[in-house]
Amino acid sequence: MTRIDTDILISGGGVAGLTAAAAFGSAGFKVICVDPAPPVTSDKEDGADLRTTAFLHPSIPVLEAAGLWGRLQPHAAPLQIMRIVDAGGPVAEPRIVKDFDAADLSDLPFGWNLPNWLLRREMVARLAELPNVDFRPGTATQSLLTRESEALVTLSEGSRIRARMVIGADGRNSTVRQALNIPVKTIRYGQKALAFAVTHPIPHENVSTEIHRSGGPFTLVPLPDRDGKPCSAVVWMETGANVERLQALSAAEFEAEMNQRSCHILGPLTLASRLTIWPIISQIAERLSGERTALMAEAAHVVPPIGAQGLNMSLADLRCLLDLARAQPDQIGSATMMESYHRARHVEVQARLHGIDLLNRASMIGAQGLRDLRASALNALYSAAPVRKTLMRAGLGLR
């Protein structure tokens, strides 16, 4: 049986795992990255992830250090304004509209939005440029055995990897986390999210818009123009039963309901992609590290898609691991490093998850009186400039 030595074994080739492989590879570490499924790198292929990711500006230095931002920036749509619309009145129409403008904090936009399938395409291309990174799509982590000095990983194709550190970036049902017997706390909301792209006649002007009524937010996130028309990504969160009903509609019927729910903020929306569906949960691991092992991204924490928090929390995980590894490269994967990582991230992740959980529950409210209360709270929070700026800084992860 073949045994290969490496500095880092990354289990998981999603956006977070690929970013980690590029970042540690660019920092000079020897990296092997595995994923059971080859990455889908075109929006036309079956299985394409049609969701989008907004990289908030504190995450950009991580992408730059990984050699990724130069590849991604030409395809990115900047997010200058986060617009919150309350449409929770008796009729589905805007009654409160509040803009959170990045210019109130700095000369940078809040972030930049890109399709997930395109991220995978550019990230895989970057890994091919790094001679010290071995990316193995179609290969799964089969077993993990750790000891004080090393981690031994058996792969599905029979190889055995001896690594100084293993990073579990393998999703909410993480094989690595299960091998470490780390429990998770999961909150289920009875929600699902529809993700798709639309074109519209009114330019989005780099404004990301969350429309709140009931069931969860209807979010329009700027994308580059498609076929000469303004384009946005949509994440429409609803109860599971409503999502099933919407999915069963004809294209014309779906567009009619979609336009009613969007309150015609950008004019008539036209479907520009197929629909994909994602279950909505919150989840956090009891610990973010084990012997010779770190958990990051959805292996460590899952949050509803509100405020562009999910992947940016994952990149904060990566930034912390990178800083620790660079500070003491000879101690990578040590018990001291793993404990430092857990302590640095777990409290912050817990606090952020709790905040997003509260926002999601507020967005689901159906009773009219409670929706009126939600609208009053939004108006009060926005009207106090110090509070508004504090909320914006918190959303970006700034202190």
Side-chain angles (χ1 to χ4, degrees), residues 194-242:
L194 285 159
F196 51 94
V198 295
T199 57
H200 39 83
I202 300 173
H204 49 61
E205 297 181 335
N206 300 325
V207 176
S208 177
T209 304
E210 278 189 10
I211 304 167
H212 294 264
R213 185 162 172 79
S214 64
F218 183 102
T219 306
L220 291 147
V221 187
L223 287 174
D225 289 358
R226 178 181 293 211
D227 300 325
K229 299 177 183 177
C231 185
S232 294
V234 175
V235 178
W236 183 358
M237 291 166 59
E238 263 294 356
T239 63
N242 252 342

mmCIF file of all heavy atoms in Angstrom, residues 194-242:
data_model
loop_
_atom_site.group_PDB
_atom_site.id
_atom_site.type_symbol
_atom_site.label_atom_id
_atom_site.label_comp_id
_atom_site.label_asym_id
_atom_site.label_seq_id
_atom_site.Cartn_x
_atom_site.Cartn_y
_atom_site.Cartn_z
ATOM 1 N N LEU A 194 -34.664 28.225 -2.264
ATOM 2 C CA LEU A 194 -34.583 28.118 -3.717
ATOM 3 C C LEU A 194 -33.484 29.060 -4.188
ATOM 4 O O LEU A 194 -33.475 30.245 -3.815
ATOM 5 C CB LEU A 194 -35.908 28.533 -4.353
ATOM 6 C CG LEU A 194 -37.064 27.538 -4.263
ATOM 7 C CD1 LEU A 194 -38.385 28.266 -4.456
ATOM 8 C CD2 LEU A 194 -36.910 26.450 -5.310
ATOM 9 N N ALA A 195 -32.551 28.546 -4.980
ATOM 10 C CA ALA A 195 -31.462 29.374 -5.512
ATOM 11 C C ALA A 195 -31.510 29.336 -7.031
ATOM 12 O O ALA A 195 -31.611 28.268 -7.635
ATOM 13 C CB ALA A 195 -30.112 28.866 -5.011
ATOM 14 N N PHE A 196 -31.435 30.527 -7.655
ATOM 15 C CA PHE A 196 -31.504 30.610 -9.109
ATOM 16 C C PHE A 196 -31.053 31.997 -9.536
ATOM 17 O O PHE A 196 -30.806 32.875 -8.695
ATOM 18 C CB PHE A 196 -32.935 30.319 -9.606
ATOM 19 C CG PHE A 196 -34.014 31.115 -8.926
ATOM 20 C CD1 PHE A 196 -34.476 32.308 -9.455
ATOM 21 C CD2 PHE A 196 -34.579 30.659 -7.735
ATOM 22 C CE1 PHE A 196 -35.476 33.034 -8.834
ATOM 23 C CE2 PHE A 196 -35.585 31.390 -7.097
ATOM 24 C CZ PHE A 196 -36.036 32.573 -7.650
ATOM 25 N N ALA A 197 -30.945 32.205 -10.823
ATOM 26 C CA ALA A 197 -30.567 33.510 -11.370
ATOM 27 C C ALA A 197 -31.742 34.094 -12.151
ATOM 28 O O ALA A 197 -32.559 33.358 -12.712
ATOM 29 C CB ALA A 197 -29.347 33.385 -12.271
ATOM 30 N N VAL A 198 -31.803 35.422 -12.172
ATOM 31 C CA VAL A 198 -32.854 36.126 -12.913
ATOM 32 C C VAL A 198 -32.244 37.292 -13.674
ATOM 33 O O VAL A 198 -31.188 37.814 -13.313
ATOM 34 C CB VAL A 198 -33.965 36.666 -11.976
ATOM 35 C CG1 VAL A 198 -34.709 35.537 -11.307
ATOM 36 C CG2 VAL A 198 -33.389 37.639 -10.944
ATOM 37 N N THR A 199 -32.921 37.700 -14.738
ATOM 38 C CA THR A 199 -32.627 38.978 -15.387
ATOM 39 C C THR A 199 -33.798 39.918 -15.113
ATOM 40 O O THR A 199 -34.904 39.484 -14.764
ATOM 41 C CB THR A 199 -32.410 38.822 -16.899
ATOM 42 O OG1 THR A 199 -33.577 38.204 -17.475
ATOM 43 C CG2 THR A 199 -31.189 37.963 -17.179
ATOM 44 N N HIS A 200 -33.539 41.233 -15.267
ATOM 45 C CA HIS A 200 -34.564 42.225 -14.922
ATOM 46 C C HIS A 200 -34.261 43.521 -15.669
ATOM 47 O O HIS A 200 -33.109 43.799 -16.027
ATOM 48 C CB HIS A 200 -34.588 42.461 -13.405
ATOM 49 C CG HIS A 200 -33.234 42.474 -12.770
ATOM 50 N ND1 HIS A 200 -32.416 43.578 -12.753
ATOM 51 C CD2 HIS A 200 -32.540 41.491 -12.136
ATOM 52 C CE1 HIS A 200 -31.283 43.287 -12.127
ATOM 53 N NE2 HIS A 200 -31.323 42.026 -11.744
ATOM 54 N N PRO A 201 -35.281 44.342 -15.901
ATOM 55 C CA PRO A 201 -35.059 45.562 -16.694
ATOM 56 C C PRO A 201 -34.396 46.696 -15.926
ATOM 57 O O PRO A 201 -33.743 47.550 -16.517
ATOM 58 C CB PRO A 201 -36.474 45.955 -17.130
ATOM 59 C CG PRO A 201 -37.372 45.360 -16.097
ATOM 60 C CD PRO A 201 -36.712 44.089 -15.652
ATOM 61 N N ILE A 202 -34.558 46.737 -14.606
ATOM 62 C CA ILE A 202 -34.008 47.831 -13.807
ATOM 63 C C ILE A 202 -32.623 47.415 -13.303
ATOM 64 O O ILE A 202 -32.488 46.370 -12.657
ATOM 65 C CB ILE A 202 -34.931 48.164 -12.619
ATOM 66 C CG1 ILE A 202 -36.317 48.588 -13.131
ATOM 67 C CG2 ILE A 202 -34.325 49.259 -11.744
ATOM 68 C CD1 ILE A 202 -37.340 48.782 -12.023
ATOM 69 N N PRO A 203 -31.573 48.180 -13.584
ATOM 70 C CA PRO A 203 -30.239 47.815 -13.104
ATOM 71 C C PRO A 203 -30.195 47.731 -11.575
ATOM 72 O O PRO A 203 -30.839 48.520 -10.875
ATOM 73 C CB PRO A 203 -29.346 48.954 -13.612
ATOM 74 C CG PRO A 203 -30.085 49.537 -14.768
ATOM 75 C CD PRO A 203 -31.541 49.400 -14.422
ATOM 76 N N HIS A 204 -29.429 46.749 -11.076
ATOM 77 C CA HIS A 204 -29.343 46.587 -9.624
ATOM 78 C C HIS A 204 -28.438 47.634 -8.968
ATOM 79 O O HIS A 204 -28.520 47.854 -7.757
ATOM 80 C CB HIS A 204 -28.868 45.186 -9.238
ATOM 81 C CG HIS A 204 -27.647 44.720 -9.951
ATOM 82 N ND1 HIS A 204 -26.433 45.368 -9.872
ATOM 83 C CD2 HIS A 204 -27.435 43.643 -10.751
ATOM 84 C CE1 HIS A 204 -25.528 44.723 -10.578
ATOM 85 N NE2 HIS A 204 -26.103 43.672 -11.149
ATOM 86 N N GLU A 205 -27.575 48.278 -9.758
ATOM 87 C CA GLU A 205 -26.691 49.343 -9.262
ATOM 88 C C GLU A 205 -25.880 48.893 -8.053
ATOM 89 O O GLU A 205 -25.638 49.662 -7.116
ATOM 90 C CB GLU A 205 -27.495 50.605 -8.949
ATOM 91 C CG GLU A 205 -28.154 51.192 -10.199
ATOM 92 C CD GLU A 205 -28.929 52.463 -9.924
ATOM 93 O OE1 GLU A 205 -29.366 52.665 -8.765
ATOM 94 O OE2 GLU A 205 -29.118 53.252 -10.868
ATOM 95 N N ASN A 206 -25.458 47.625 -8.074
ATOM 96 C CA ASN A 206 -24.608 47.053 -7.018
ATOM 97 C C ASN A 206 -25.261 47.083 -5.637
ATOM 98 O O ASN A 206 -24.586 47.205 -4.612
ATOM 99 C CB ASN A 206 -23.252 47.755 -6.974
ATOM 100 C CG ASN A 206 -22.506 47.625 -8.282
ATOM 101 O OD1 ASN A 206 -22.606 46.596 -8.956
ATOM 102 N ND2 ASN A 206 -21.768 48.654 -8.667
ATOM 103 N N VAL A 207 -26.592 46.967 -5.643
ATOM 104 C CA VAL A 207 -27.355 46.923 -4.393
ATOM 105 C C VAL A 207 -27.833 45.495 -4.163
ATOM 106 O O VAL A 207 -28.468 44.893 -5.032
ATOM 107 C CB VAL A 207 -28.567 47.870 -4.442
ATOM 108 C CG1 VAL A 207 -29.399 47.738 -3.162
ATOM 109 C CG2 VAL A 207 -28.116 49.303 -4.651
ATOM 110 N N SER A 208 -27.514 44.944 -2.997
ATOM 111 C CA SER A 208 -28.049 43.649 -2.580
ATOM 112 C C SER A 208 -29.300 43.912 -1.747
ATOM 113 O O SER A 208 -29.262 44.692 -0.795
ATOM 114 C CB SER A 208 -27.006 42.897 -1.753
ATOM 115 O OG SER A 208 -27.525 41.671 -1.285
ATOM 116 N N THR A 209 -30.403 43.274 -2.129
ATOM 117 C CA THR A 209 -31.700 43.585 -1.522
ATOM 118 C C THR A 209 -32.299 42.366 -0.838
ATOM 119 O O THR A 209 -32.454 41.316 -1.450
ATOM 120 C CB THR A 209 -32.693 44.091 -2.596
ATOM 121 O OG1 THR A 209 -32.120 45.213 -3.280
ATOM 122 C CG2 THR A 209 -34.009 44.498 -1.961
ATOM 123 N N GLU A 210 -32.618 42.517 0.459
ATOM 124 C CA GLU A 210 -33.344 41.486 1.210
ATOM 125 C C GLU A 210 -34.761 41.976 1.448
ATOM 126 O O GLU A 210 -34.962 43.041 2.053
ATOM 127 C CB GLU A 210 -32.682 41.212 2.568
ATOM 128 C CG GLU A 210 -31.499 40.274 2.524
ATOM 129 C CD GLU A 210 -31.018 39.878 3.917
ATOM 130 O OE1 GLU A 210 -31.717 40.187 4.910
ATOM 131 O OE2 GLU A 210 -29.940 39.274 4.014
ATOM 132 N N ILE A 211 -35.741 41.199 0.974
ATOM 133 C CA ILE A 211 -37.147 41.574 1.125
ATOM 134 C C ILE A 211 -37.782 40.643 2.144
ATOM 135 O O ILE A 211 -37.807 39.412 1.955
ATOM 136 C CB ILE A 211 -37.884 41.484 -0.225
ATOM 137 C CG1 ILE A 211 -37.174 42.348 -1.271
ATOM 138 C CG2 ILE A 211 -39.339 41.911 -0.061
ATOM 139 C CD1 ILE A 211 -37.634 42.094 -2.689
ATOM 140 N N HIS A 212 -38.281 41.202 3.226
ATOM 141 C CA HIS A 212 -38.836 40.414 4.328
ATOM 142 C C HIS A 212 -40.355 40.516 4.342
ATOM 143 O O HIS A 212 -40.918 41.610 4.330
ATOM 144 C CB HIS A 212 -38.264 40.905 5.659
ATOM 145 C CG HIS A 212 -36.793 40.664 5.791
ATOM 146 N ND1 HIS A 212 -36.273 39.576 6.440
ATOM 147 C CD2 HIS A 212 -35.725 41.367 5.326
ATOM 148 C CE1 HIS A 212 -34.944 39.620 6.386
ATOM 149 N NE2 HIS A 212 -34.592 40.691 5.712
ATOM 150 N N ARG A 213 -40.977 39.359 4.341
ATOM 151 C CA ARG A 213 -42.428 39.277 4.507
ATOM 152 C C ARG A 213 -42.729 38.181 5.519
ATOM 153 O O ARG A 213 -42.964 38.430 6.670
ATOM 154 C CB ARG A 213 -43.125 39.048 3.163
ATOM 155 C CG ARG A 213 -44.650 39.076 3.279
ATOM 156 C CD ARG A 213 -45.333 39.286 1.956
ATOM 157 N NE ARG A 213 -46.786 39.108 2.074
ATOM 158 C CZ ARG A 213 -47.606 40.026 2.558
ATOM 159 N NH1 ARG A 213 -47.125 41.177 2.966
ATOM 160 N NH2 ARG A 213 -48.899 39.792 2.621
ATOM 161 N N SER A 214 -42.682 36.913 5.081
ATOM 162 C CA SER A 214 -42.797 35.779 5.991
ATOM 163 C C SER A 214 -42.098 34.591 5.345
ATOM 164 O O SER A 214 -41.806 34.591 4.149
ATOM 165 C CB SER A 214 -44.269 35.445 6.284
ATOM 166 O OG SER A 214 -44.924 35.031 5.095
ATOM 167 N N GLY A 215 -41.802 33.574 6.140
ATOM 168 C CA GLY A 215 -41.180 32.360 5.621
ATOM 169 C C GLY A 215 -39.679 32.438 5.487
ATOM 170 O O GLY A 215 -38.994 31.426 5.401
ATOM 171 N N GLY A 216 -39.123 33.664 5.466
ATOM 172 C CA GLY A 216 -37.695 33.869 5.269
ATOM 173 C C GLY A 216 -37.481 34.958 4.242
ATOM 174 O O GLY A 216 -38.411 35.348 3.516
ATOM 175 N N PRO A 217 -36.261 35.482 4.133
ATOM 176 C CA PRO A 217 -36.011 36.579 3.195
ATOM 177 C C PRO A 217 -35.998 36.124 1.744
ATOM 178 O O PRO A 217 -35.642 34.990 1.432
ATOM 179 C CB PRO A 217 -34.634 37.107 3.617
ATOM 180 C CG PRO A 217 -33.984 35.968 4.312
ATOM 181 C CD PRO A 217 -35.074 35.177 4.953
ATOM 182 N N PHE A 218 -36.373 37.046 0.869
ATOM 183 C CA PHE A 218 -36.208 36.906 -0.578
ATOM 184 C C PHE A 218 -35.073 37.864 -0.929
ATOM 185 O O PHE A 218 -35.222 39.083 -0.806
ATOM 186 C CB PHE A 218 -37.499 37.295 -1.294
ATOM 187 C CG PHE A 218 -37.480 37.136 -2.791
ATOM 188 C CD1 PHE A 218 -38.100 36.049 -3.399
ATOM 189 C CD2 PHE A 218 -36.858 38.074 -3.607
ATOM 190 C CE1 PHE A 218 -38.097 35.909 -4.783
ATOM 191 C CE2 PHE A 218 -36.847 37.937 -4.983
ATOM 192 C CZ PHE A 218 -37.468 36.849 -5.577
ATOM 193 N N THR A 219 -33.922 37.310 -1.320
ATOM 194 C CA THR A 219 -32.708 38.119 -1.474
ATOM 195 C C THR A 219 -32.264 38.162 -2.926
ATOM 196 O O THR A 219 -32.141 37.118 -3.579
ATOM 197 C CB THR A 219 -31.571 37.551 -0.609
ATOM 198 O OG1 THR A 219 -32.020 37.442 0.744
ATOM 199 C CG2 THR A 219 -30.350 38.456 -0.656
ATOM 200 N N LEU A 220 -32.031 39.369 -3.410
ATOM 201 C CA LEU A 220 -31.505 39.609 -4.755
ATOM 202 C C LEU A 220 -30.075 40.120 -4.612
ATOM 203 O O LEU A 220 -29.849 41.166 -3.990
ATOM 204 C CB LEU A 220 -32.356 40.646 -5.479
ATOM 205 C CG LEU A 220 -33.774 40.218 -5.876
ATOM 206 C CD1 LEU A 220 -34.733 41.393 -5.816
ATOM 207 C CD2 LEU A 220 -33.770 39.615 -7.277
ATOM 208 N N VAL A 221 -29.114 39.381 -5.184
ATOM 209 C CA VAL A 221 -27.702 39.732 -5.048
ATOM 210 C C VAL A 221 -27.133 40.030 -6.434
ATOM 211 O O VAL A 221 -27.299 39.232 -7.364
ATOM 212 C CB VAL A 221 -26.903 38.600 -4.387
ATOM 213 C CG1 VAL A 221 -25.476 39.053 -4.095
ATOM 214 C CG2 VAL A 221 -27.580 38.144 -3.101
ATOM 215 N N PRO A 222 -26.454 41.159 -6.613
ATOM 216 C CA PRO A 222 -25.969 41.555 -7.942
ATOM 217 C C PRO A 222 -25.025 40.531 -8.570
ATOM 218 O O PRO A 222 -24.153 39.968 -7.909
ATOM 219 C CB PRO A 222 -25.221 42.867 -7.675
ATOM 220 C CG PRO A 222 -25.845 43.414 -6.446
ATOM 221 C CD PRO A 222 -26.196 42.222 -5.610
ATOM 222 N N LEU A 223 -25.220 40.319 -9.871
ATOM 223 C CA LEU A 223 -24.311 39.555 -10.721
ATOM 224 C C LEU A 223 -23.954 40.427 -11.928
ATOM 225 O O LEU A 223 -24.673 41.374 -12.236
ATOM 226 C CB LEU A 223 -24.973 38.261 -11.205
ATOM 227 C CG LEU A 223 -25.154 37.126 -10.201
ATOM 228 C CD1 LEU A 223 -25.956 35.996 -10.831
ATOM 229 C CD2 LEU A 223 -23.805 36.605 -9.697
ATOM 230 N N PRO A 224 -22.878 40.108 -12.620
ATOM 231 C CA PRO A 224 -22.602 40.805 -13.881
ATOM 232 C C PRO A 224 -23.739 40.595 -14.874
ATOM 233 O O PRO A 224 -24.479 39.594 -14.812
ATOM 234 C CB PRO A 224 -21.303 40.154 -14.363
ATOM 235 C CG PRO A 224 -20.656 39.623 -13.128
ATOM 236 C CD PRO A 224 -21.789 39.187 -12.244
ATOM 237 N N ASP A 225 -23.897 41.531 -15.818
ATOM 238 C CA ASP A 225 -24.957 41.423 -16.825
ATOM 239 C C ASP A 225 -24.877 40.096 -17.568
ATOM 240 O O ASP A 225 -23.789 39.534 -17.769
ATOM 241 C CB ASP A 225 -24.847 42.564 -17.832
ATOM 242 C CG ASP A 225 -25.246 43.902 -17.225
ATOM 243 O OD1 ASP A 225 -25.636 43.940 -16.040
ATOM 244 O OD2 ASP A 225 -25.158 44.922 -17.942
ATOM 245 N N ARG A 226 -26.046 39.604 -17.965
ATOM 246 C CA ARG A 226 -26.130 38.376 -18.757
ATOM 247 C C ARG A 226 -26.858 38.691 -20.060
ATOM 248 O O ARG A 226 -27.988 39.180 -20.037
ATOM 249 C CB ARG A 226 -26.880 37.283 -17.981
ATOM 250 C CG ARG A 226 -27.055 35.978 -18.750
ATOM 251 C CD ARG A 226 -27.825 34.956 -17.956
ATOM 252 N NE ARG A 226 -27.073 34.496 -16.791
ATOM 253 C CZ ARG A 226 -27.186 33.280 -16.276
ATOM 254 N NH1 ARG A 226 -28.016 32.403 -16.828
ATOM 255 N NH2 ARG A 226 -26.494 32.936 -15.215
ATOM 256 N N ASP A 227 -26.202 38.422 -21.178
ATOM 257 C CA ASP A 227 -26.776 38.684 -22.504
ATOM 258 C C ASP A 227 -27.271 40.133 -22.622
ATOM 259 O O ASP A 227 -28.342 40.406 -23.192
ATOM 260 C CB ASP A 227 -27.931 37.709 -22.804
ATOM 261 C CG ASP A 227 -27.473 36.259 -22.781
ATOM 262 O OD1 ASP A 227 -26.323 36.001 -23.194
ATOM 263 O OD2 ASP A 227 -28.256 35.398 -22.342
ATOM 264 N N GLY A 228 -26.494 41.041 -22.053
ATOM 265 C CA GLY A 228 -26.829 42.458 -22.148
ATOM 266 C C GLY A 228 -27.916 42.925 -21.215
ATOM 267 O O GLY A 228 -28.342 44.087 -21.289
ATOM 268 N N LYS A 229 -28.373 42.068 -20.299
ATOM 269 C CA LYS A 229 -29.440 42.440 -19.374
ATOM 270 C C LYS A 229 -28.904 42.421 -17.937
ATOM 271 O O LYS A 229 -28.076 41.570 -17.595
ATOM 272 C CB LYS A 229 -30.607 41.456 -19.485
ATOM 273 C CG LYS A 229 -31.263 41.403 -20.851
ATOM 274 C CD LYS A 229 -32.348 40.337 -20.869
ATOM 275 C CE LYS A 229 -32.986 40.218 -22.256
ATOM 276 N NZ LYS A 229 -33.993 39.126 -22.300
ATOM 277 N N PRO A 230 -29.384 43.333 -17.090
ATOM 278 C CA PRO A 230 -29.015 43.252 -15.673
ATOM 279 C C PRO A 230 -29.402 41.891 -15.105
ATOM 280 O O PRO A 230 -30.458 41.333 -15.447
ATOM 281 C CB PRO A 230 -29.824 44.379 -15.028
ATOM 282 C CG PRO A 230 -30.103 45.340 -16.142
ATOM 283 C CD PRO A 230 -30.258 44.488 -17.374
ATOM 284 N N CYS A 231 -28.563 41.374 -14.218
ATOM 285 C CA CYS A 231 -28.753 40.008 -13.719
ATOM 286 C C CYS A 231 -28.503 39.978 -12.213
ATOM 287 O O CYS A 231 -27.634 40.700 -11.698
ATOM 288 C CB CYS A 231 -27.792 39.061 -14.437
ATOM 289 S SG CYS A 231 -27.995 37.307 -14.041
ATOM 290 N N SER A 232 -29.256 39.156 -11.523
ATOM 291 C CA SER A 232 -29.072 38.976 -10.083
ATOM 292 C C SER A 232 -29.240 37.503 -9.724
ATOM 293 O O SER A 232 -29.956 36.756 -10.409
ATOM 294 C CB SER A 232 -30.103 39.792 -9.284
ATOM 295 O OG SER A 232 -29.913 41.175 -9.455
ATOM 296 N N ALA A 233 -28.564 37.122 -8.648
ATOM 297 C CA ALA A 233 -28.810 35.811 -8.040
ATOM 298 C C ALA A 233 -29.909 35.972 -7.004
ATOM 299 O O ALA A 233 -29.998 36.991 -6.315
ATOM 300 C CB ALA A 233 -27.540 35.298 -7.378
ATOM 301 N N VAL A 234 -30.764 34.963 -6.908
ATOM 302 C CA VAL A 234 -31.860 34.989 -5.944
ATOM 303 C C VAL A 234 -31.707 33.821 -4.974
ATOM 304 O O VAL A 234 -31.430 32.690 -5.387
ATOM 305 C CB VAL A 234 -33.235 34.888 -6.645
ATOM 306 C CG1 VAL A 234 -34.359 34.790 -5.614
ATOM 307 C CG2 VAL A 234 -33.459 36.087 -7.557
ATOM 308 N N VAL A 235 -31.859 34.116 -3.693
ATOM 309 C CA VAL A 235 -32.049 33.077 -2.683
ATOM 310 C C VAL A 235 -33.397 33.359 -2.030
ATOM 311 O O VAL A 235 -33.581 34.401 -1.386
ATOM 312 C CB VAL A 235 -30.924 33.068 -1.631
ATOM 313 C CG1 VAL A 235 -31.207 32.004 -0.570
ATOM 314 C CG2 VAL A 235 -29.574 32.816 -2.287
ATOM 315 N N TRP A 236 -34.336 32.441 -2.232
ATOM 316 C CA TRP A 236 -35.708 32.610 -1.743
ATOM 317 C C TRP A 236 -35.945 31.547 -0.683
ATOM 318 O O TRP A 236 -36.072 30.379 -0.973
ATOM 319 C CB TRP A 236 -36.673 32.454 -2.922
ATOM 320 C CG TRP A 236 -38.122 32.680 -2.604
ATOM 321 C CD1 TRP A 236 -38.701 32.971 -1.409
ATOM 322 C CD2 TRP A 236 -39.203 32.637 -3.554
ATOM 323 N NE1 TRP A 236 -40.060 33.103 -1.532
ATOM 324 C CE2 TRP A 236 -40.396 32.905 -2.845
ATOM 325 C CE3 TRP A 236 -39.269 32.389 -4.925
ATOM 326 C CZ2 TRP A 236 -41.633 32.927 -3.476
ATOM 327 C CZ3 TRP A 236 -40.509 32.424 -5.556
ATOM 328 C CH2 TRP A 236 -41.681 32.690 -4.834
ATOM 329 N N MET A 237 -35.997 31.981 0.575
ATOM 330 C CA MET A 237 -36.205 31.059 1.684
ATOM 331 C C MET A 237 -37.681 31.008 2.042
ATOM 332 O O MET A 237 -38.344 32.035 2.164
ATOM 333 C CB MET A 237 -35.353 31.491 2.884
ATOM 334 C CG MET A 237 -33.865 31.301 2.656
ATOM 335 S SD MET A 237 -32.811 32.142 3.853
ATOM 336 C CE MET A 237 -33.351 31.424 5.399
ATOM 337 N N GLU A 238 -38.171 29.784 2.209
ATOM 338 C CA GLU A 238 -39.577 29.561 2.514
ATOM 339 C C GLU A 238 -39.714 28.291 3.342
ATOM 340 O O GLU A 238 -38.759 27.523 3.497
ATOM 341 C CB GLU A 238 -40.403 29.423 1.224
ATOM 342 C CG GLU A 238 -41.103 30.689 0.781
ATOM 343 C CD GLU A 238 -42.194 31.137 1.736
ATOM 344 O OE1 GLU A 238 -42.475 30.426 2.725
ATOM 345 O OE2 GLU A 238 -42.764 32.218 1.505
ATOM 346 N N THR A 239 -40.906 28.061 3.867
ATOM 347 C CA THR A 239 -41.164 26.783 4.537
ATOM 348 C C THR A 239 -41.019 25.650 3.528
ATOM 349 O O THR A 239 -41.214 25.844 2.318
ATOM 350 C CB THR A 239 -42.576 26.754 5.133
ATOM 351 O OG1 THR A 239 -43.532 26.872 4.065
ATOM 352 C CG2 THR A 239 -42.778 27.893 6.127
ATOM 353 N N GLY A 240 -40.678 24.469 4.039
ATOM 354 C CA GLY A 240 -40.484 23.337 3.142
ATOM 355 C C GLY A 240 -41.697 23.051 2.279
ATOM 356 O O GLY A 240 -41.575 22.772 1.079
ATOM 357 N N ALA A 241 -42.886 23.143 2.870
ATOM 358 C CA ALA A 241 -44.115 22.868 2.109
ATOM 359 C C ALA A 241 -44.298 23.877 0.992
ATOM 360 O O ALA A 241 -44.700 23.524 -0.137
ATOM 361 C CB ALA A 241 -45.313 22.881 3.046
ATOM 362 N N ASN A 242 -44.010 25.150 1.250
ATOM 363 C CA ASN A 242 -44.154 26.172 0.218
ATOM 364 C C ASN A 242 -43.141 25.992 -0.900
ATOM 365 O O ASN A 242 -43.440 26.234 -2.079
ATOM 366 C CB ASN A 242 -44.007 27.564 0.832
ATOM 367 C CG ASN A 242 -45.333 28.304 0.886
ATOM 368 O OD1 ASN A 242 -46.279 27.953 0.197
ATOM 369 N ND2 ASN A 242 -45.398 29.315 1.723
#
